[in-house]
Amino acid sequence: MANPIKPDRSVVTTCAYCGVGCSFKAETYQGKIVRMIPWKEGKANHGHSCVKGRFAYDYYNHPDRIRTPLIRKSIEDPWQEVSWDEAIDYAASEFKRIQDKHGKKSIGAVSSSRCTNEEIFLVQKLVRAVMGNNNIDNCARICHSPTQFGMSATVGWGAASQHFDSILQANVIMVVGANPTEGHPVFGSLMKRRIREGAKLIVIDPRRTETVDSAHCKATLHLALRPGTNVAVLDSISHVIVREKLYNEQFIRARCEWEEFEVWMGLVGSDRYAPEVIGPQAGIDPEAIRQVARMYAGGPNSAIYYGLGVTEHSQGSTGVMCLGNLALACGMLGREGVGVNPLRGQGNVQGGSCLGSWPHVFSGYRFVTDPEVRSSFEGDWGVPLDDEPGLRLPNMFDAALSGHFRGMFIMGEDPVQSDPNQHHVIAAMKSMECVVLQDIFLNETAKYAHVLLPGSSSLEKEGSFTSAERRVNRVRKVVEPLAGYQDWEIVVKLMNAMGYPVHYDHAGEILDEIARLSPAYKGMSFDLLERIGSAQWPCDENAPEGTEVLHTVKFPRANGRGTFMLTEYVPTIERTNDRYPLLLTTGRILSQYNVGTQTRRTANSMWHPEDVLEINAEDAHVRGIKDGDWLSISSRFGVTQLKAKLSKRVNPGIVYTTFHHAKSKANVLTSDLSDWATNCPEYKVTAVEVVKAAADTQTVSSRKIEALEETTA
């Protein structure tokens, strides 16, 4: 039924869900949102939308929203409602007390990709200019940190080389470890359009997802590889390209470092990466590997799109390098219809990466160890800055357990639910003296917080997001903040209370500061975005309205050339055995978003009311499991329960679940293994056993935490 309410106001803004960055016209009546209309002028979505952006907006006004600041001295105490001034002053005084007692590096912060560019930038400024250290990280640590590392190493920038519409010029589309028809559905729709027009689709994924086989989307080739073998398979594809001389020698000699290419050929061209060797290890047909290599190299325009199925591994950065190597070897960069493109899972993960929420770089990916770079920030901010990289988020938790890290500011994140090895995270949170959480709901992390500052949703603030295609879009305030302040205003209050005077009249002034200090954003401003709608970085004097396609002339490396990285396959140490004979992998579903903080508080939950475990019929049969049975899933790290869903999408030996519901606690199972370069968790490979459970008790336990409690009792 059509909504009968006639709106009295409308505002064009940007969806805060996935990294596509769809534009919407938010319509309101008497100060409340009544509908979200996909905006036809949106350059990312052209008037299209998915069920999250279109319908899952009323969480902003949910009764669970926190509208008053809360504090407590101990996590065992009940929350006490206080004024904004009391809460800010208490948080500031606690942080200063901890630093006075334990040193300036004893506290830090985590920013969120649900927040705007301006807010992300302010949080890292809070850490560096006010706290006096570099202990700042963001949620990209647990999803796309290998993208920044791996792509920077090969092509110079850790970001998509194309705009979304470039796919319409692709002849071959290779999707690796991603499911865009569900995870990035508006882009997935654009991909389907190109497939209907004749493009070939290659999918490399353990599951037979909707991207493999659904309406208007059928893969020409599907490599259903065994989880954990990404690097082996990608190196084997490169082996075929090298042995059959399918590489683009002209491009390599003109645009790359030839000697490094020859060294790389020596690695991937060796017999140990032959499809006949790798195929059986990965559980796929060797001939299929050869077909993929020939199809990708033959193009003539081949584009790669990848997701967390590449990055969330112990060799996540290596996997990203493999993709960069492939594109360089075949000359698939620098023009329309090609490229290597990470499909970012959250609305502003790219912004979180660009704007300094890493412990080793300022905004613009410039190193804190560089005196010239550091002096530019010191001149603008008026304080000396630490020249030593800070702690990554996993290191913060480890340091908390060792007693060296005592306080944390968390904006818009829920690490207790989203981070791996959940009980390790909980133990770390319990050991801290002051955890300040800024969010719109009482989430799982709030159970271990001492101060709760009511945040604002993306519908209640001004700012900008940077999408997966590097597109900077305006975020506009649709309704007034329910708790009184926009998130950036709250951070400013905390900075002032900690003794650092700063003032902005509006969020646009923060973007102006970003532009002063970040070369790729040099030309960005609210005025520009109002005039042209959106712009892709780099946006500077050479590209005053932004850049759609990167690497057209040279690569942003010191010598302007792409380079080939050695990508030796090192199997994960997380292995199956007689006790844990199955491999668990995880992912998303269309109707829900990440840990579900927002979408679970909308009618979208009717489509996906609970997380379930997909299990192959063969594995179910030998365990006496029927569809809908309650299951106990155990790993070396913990135990939880889910309902069974017999599925043909996973091969025997593989099980799969989503992570949208707090009740299921999927991350209690995951290990503490992580990417060798970035500490991105290995969510995609966990050895488990599955048995039929007596009933739904949602029991969660951890062998590690039980042992820890015994030793500290």
Side-chain angles (χ1 to χ4, degrees):
M1 179 183 293
N3 191 327
I5 300 175
K6 184 177 180 180
D8 54 27
R9 182 172 175 266
S10 67
V11 178
V12 174
T13 190
T14 304
C15 180
Y17 284 125
C18 81
V20 173
C22 295
S23 297
F24 280 86
K25 183 180 288 187
E27 297 185 339
T28 63
Y29 177 72
Q30 294 183 353
K32 292 186 178 181
I33 301 171
V34 294
R35 63 176 69 88
M36 299 287 284
I37 306 297
W39 194 42
K40 293 183 179 180
E41 300 302 315
K43 294 179 183 177
N45 60 316
H46 306 293
H48 296 276
S49 72
C50 79
V51 295
K52 291 189 288 292
R54 181 72 174 85
F55 301 114
Y57 61 84
D58 48 349
Y59 70 88
Y60 88 94
N61 200 30
H62 194 277
D64 288 350
R65 278 291 299 269
I66 304 302
R67 303 169 191 236
T68 304
L70 304 172
I71 64 173
R72 57 184 176 180
K73 290 187 177 181
S74 166
I75 61 172
E76 307 299 328
D77 296 335
W79 287 109
Q80 301 293 322
E81 292 189 356
V82 295
S83 69
W84 271 106
D85 286 344
E86 288 177 285
I88 294 291
D89 288 345
Y90 182 76
S93 64
E94 280 294 280
F95 283 150
K96 288 190 288 186
R97 177 188 64 78
I98 291 170
Q99 286 188 303
D100 288 343
K101 183 177 180 181
H102 301 287
K104 69 177 183 179
K105 296 188 178 183
S106 60
I107 63 175
V110 182
S111 67
S112 172
S113 296
R114 289 190 291 159
C115 294
T116 64
N117 288 322
E118 294 74 18
E119 291 157 355
I120 290 168
F121 182 82
L122 278 187
V123 173
Q124 62 93 36
K125 183 176 179 178
L126 164 71
V127 171
R128 294 188 160 110
V130 186
M131 295 181 178
N133 62 57
N134 289 308
N135 294 335
I136 174 65
D137 213 339
N138 73 103
C139 59
R141 175 64 58 201
I142 62 172
C143 60
H144 271 286
S145 51
T147 285
Q148 192 249 325
F149 188 92
M151 290 189 67
S152 295
T154 52
V155 300
W157 268 334
S161 50
Q162 315 295 121
H163 57 119
F164 288 140
D165 287 355
S166 174
I167 198 173
L168 298 177
Q169 308 301 319
N171 307 107
V172 176
I173 301 164
M174 187 158 82
V175 177
V176 189
N179 184 16
T181 55
E182 287 208 83
H184 303 81
V186 170
F187 171 75
S189 179
L190 193 66
M191 181 183 70
K192 289 181 182 181
R193 171 182 164 185
R194 183 57 186 155
I195 292 168
R196 289 195 299 271
E197 294 171 347
K200 297 175 182 177
L201 174 64
I202 299 167
V203 178
I204 303 177
D205 196 289
R207 293 175 71 231
R208 294 172 186 84
T209 63
E210 291 76 5
T211 300
V212 174
D213 187 7
S214 60
H216 307 292
C217 193
K218 297 187 185 300
T220 309
L221 293 168
H222 174 214
L223 302 186
L225 77 176
R226 183 176 174 83
T229 61
N230 282 348
V231 171
V233 170
L234 293 171
D235 278 346
S236 189
I237 293 169
S238 296
H239 172 94
V240 177
I241 288 169
V242 165
R243 288 291 188 93
E244 297 186 7
K245 298 188 184 325
L246 302 175
Y247 51 83
N248 187 331
E249 182 174 345
Q250 182 180 358
F251 179 90
I252 298 166
R253 288 191 180 276
R255 301 286 311 275
C256 304
E257 297 173 4
W258 180 260
E259 291 183 0
E260 294 191 2
F261 171 67
E262 290 182 313
V263 174
W264 174 75
M265 282 202 301
L267 172 70
V268 299
S270 64
D271 290 342
R272 66 181 181 275
Y273 289 115
E276 289 70 27
V277 175
I278 298 301
Q281 293 180 32
I284 53 182
D285 181 3
E287 183 57 29
I289 295 176
R290 296 188 181 279
Q291 291 175 7
V292 166
R294 293 163 185 161
M295 187 177 293
Y296 176 78
N301 287 341
S302 297
I304 295 172
Y305 298 89
Y306 72 92
L308 305 188
V310 171
T311 59
E312 291 180 343
H313 289 271
S314 58
Q315 279 200 291
S317 292
T318 312
V320 175
M321 291 175 188
C322 286
L323 299 177
N325 290 340
L326 269 175
L328 289 170
C330 297
M332 299 298 178
L333 287 158
R335 63 183 188 276
E336 295 276 10
V338 296
V340 181
N341 304 280
L343 293 173
R344 305 280 189 164
Q346 294 196 65
N348 204 24
V349 172
Q350 186 63 63
S353 299
C354 293
L355 297 174
S357 281
W358 300 108
H360 65 299
V361 292
F362 293 108
S363 60
Y365 305 105
R366 294 180 298 157
F367 293 101
V368 299
T369 53
D370 186 322
E372 185 176 348
V373 170
R374 202 167 55 252
S375 67
S376 68
F377 284 87
E378 289 174 337
D380 201 279
W381 294 349
V383 292
L385 300 174
D386 190 4
D387 62 356
E388 181 179 321
L391 297 174
R392 297 171 175 178
L393 181 55
N395 304 135
M396 293 184 203
F397 292 141
D398 292 342
L401 286 171
S402 68
H404 297 96
F405 189 82
R406 301 299 185 105
M408 180 182 285
F409 173 71
I410 304 172
M411 177 192 269
E413 285 299 305
D414 189 5
V416 169
Q417 187 179 346
S418 63
D419 285 35
N421 196 354
Q422 186 181 72
H423 290 289
H424 176 78
V425 176
I426 291 173
M429 299 294 288
K430 285 182 175 180
S431 70
M432 283 188 259
E433 296 178 24
C434 183
V435 174
V436 178
L437 178 65
Q438 184 168 318
D439 213 317
I440 60 177
F441 296 112
L442 280 168
N443 56 26
E444 294 299 299
T445 301
K447 295 176 182 177
Y448 311 98
H450 305 85
V451 180
L452 182 61
L453 303 176
S456 55
S457 73
S458 65
L459 299 164
E460 303 161 48
K461 63 179 68 171
E462 297 286 340
S464 63
F465 287 153
T466 303
S467 74
E469 59 173 348
R470 295 173 285 106
R471 185 178 302 283
V472 180
N473 271 308
R474 277 283 275 119
V475 175
R476 295 179 178 88
K477 186 171 65 173
V478 181
V479 294
E480 291 300 316
L482 267 64
Y485 295 104
Q486 299 177 50
D487 280 321
W488 68 264
E489 294 174 314
I490 300 168
V491 178
V492 168
K493 283 180 173 292
L494 183 58
M495 294 169 80
N496 289 332
M498 290 188 70
Y500 182 85
V502 65
H503 174 79
Y504 303 94
D505 287 325
H506 55 81
E509 291 184 352
I510 307 170
L511 183 57
D512 293 340
E513 184 174 330
I514 292 170
R516 289 197 305 272
L517 296 169
S518 315
Y521 282 69
K522 186 175 181 180
M524 293 291 182
S525 68
F526 276 16
D527 288 343
L528 174 71
L529 300 180
E530 293 292 344
R531 180 167 60 84
I532 67 174
S534 63
Q536 292 174 263
W537 68 259
C539 178
D540 52 29
E541 62 275 5
N542 298 317
E545 294 189 355
T547 308
E548 290 187 332
V549 178
L550 298 182
H551 318 314
T552 56
V553 178
K554 62 181 182 179
F555 294 98
R557 300 182 67 247
N559 62 4
R561 290 178 171 269
T563 192
F564 290 83
M565 300 298 294
L566 296 181
T567 53
E568 185 75 68
Y569 170 54
V570 180
T572 174
I573 63 173
E574 178 70 3
R575 311 284 181 84
T576 56
N577 56 25
D578 290 343
R579 186 173 182 183
Y580 303 109
L582 303 174
L583 281 179
L584 169 70
T585 191
T586 62
R588 295 183 172 98
I589 201 165
L590 172 62
S591 62
Q592 296 294 316
Y593 172 72
N594 285 7
V595 296
T597 303
Q598 295 149 275
T599 48
R600 279 189 284 106
R601 290 177 168 90
T602 71
N604 275 31
S605 285
M606 291 190 297
W607 288 313
H608 185 72
E610 62 184 347
D611 294 321
V612 297
L613 188 79
E614 290 186 17
I615 183 169
N616 186 275
E618 290 183 24
D619 294 324
H621 177 72
V622 299
R623 290 166 173 79
I625 294 169
K626 297 179 181 178
D627 204 60
D629 283 348
W630 277 103
L631 307 176
S632 175
I633 306 100
S634 60
S635 73
R636 296 177 181 90
F637 298 88
V639 181
T640 191
Q641 290 191 332
L642 295 168
K643 281 185 180 178
K645 181 179 181 181
L646 272 59
S647 173
K648 295 180 180 179
R649 292 186 175 187
V650 290
N651 287 333
I654 312 297
V655 292
Y656 169 88
T657 188
T658 47
F659 44 78
H660 301 305
H661 291 266
K663 187 178 180 183
S664 63
K665 291 181 168 57
N667 284 345
V668 76
L669 300 168
T670 51
S671 76
D672 53 4
L673 297 176
S674 63
D675 173 45
W676 63 272
T678 66
N679 286 126
C680 183
E682 190 168 56
Y683 287 126
K684 302 304 182 186
V685 188
T686 305
V688 299
E689 177 58 298
V690 176
V691 297
K692 190 173 179 179
D696 169 21
T697 59
Q698 289 284 307
T699 302
V700 179
S701 66
S702 168
R703 297 169 185 85
K704 277 197 168 185
I705 197 68
E706 288 163 1
L708 179 63
E709 288 173 345
E710 287 174 5
T711 60
T712 57

